[in-house]
Amino acid sequence: MSAATGGAGITELVPGVLFRIGATVPARDLTWMADSPGVHEPLNCYLLVTPDEAVFVDAGPAIIAPQVAEAARDLVGDREIAVFPTRNEFDCIGNLGLLLGLRDDVRLLFGGGGGILEWIGDPATGGRDGFLGRREIVLAPNGTDTAFAGGVRFHWFDAPVKQMFLTQWAYEESTKTLFTSDFFGWVHAPGPDGPITAGDPADLPALDGLLEEIPRRMNWLPGATAPEVVSALAEVAAAHDVRRIAPVHGRVISGPAAVRRAFADAGTALAALMADPRRDA
């Protein structure tokens, strides 16, 4: 399937293997960014397919349900299905019920804490019933990895920068993709027609943009004393051969040069935010 146009649908990131699923919406009433006429925001989840398996990374907000259903119909087929949510918030699990309801053998890859299946409604019952005891939970704790066919292997680890305590990132070996939940989501689209990917360092926002936007998500950062956050982010970059950064909102950052710039700018912004206690989020 070729890359989708029109700001919505399915975008092929790695031929036949990795797909971005989502829609691009106007930047209005989004908690993590200021309303800005002419600026649009991609809302994303992702799908990796092997000959026998299909793995969704996040499920996206409910507004992209038509695109998620399209991907399940056109790309999954009779493959075994697994779903991994990076965290239990609506932009990551808005279509989890849709995916869990596709078949009885859908598995949940889960490394967070607390319950989740009991309060995800089953569309077949109008949302009245949860999936607790009806779907398999495959544990994906931090510091472990999970292998699938075709060389697909996920490494699960604690998100180095996060707003919600139980947030995981995942690195997938075969596609060299880092799935970062709500971080690195500051590369917006100029219009509803995309583009979905940002492959040139010049596509990335200036440092001032990060200093304004990061605190809208990570509101504890300004003035914090947490040098371990900056070092943990650098360790992620050093430990993995990242060629693509895939957040749940914002454009996909693609290619070694853009990825290096994204990590460098993020580290600089985090250090600056923590060094200035007067900065107002």
Side-chain angles (χ1 to χ4, degrees), residues 1-4 9-16 18-19 70-71 74-75:
M1 178 174 292
S2 61
I10 302 170
T11 304
E12 191 174 54
L13 300 175
V14 176
L18 176 61
F19 301 85
E70 176 189 0
D74 295 345
L75 298 176

Side-chain angles (χ1 to χ4, degrees), residues 108-112 136-141 144-146 156:
L108 179 70
L109 294 163
F110 191 62
E136 180 183 2
I137 298 176
V138 178
L139 295 180
T144 68
D145 58 80
T146 303
W156 320 110

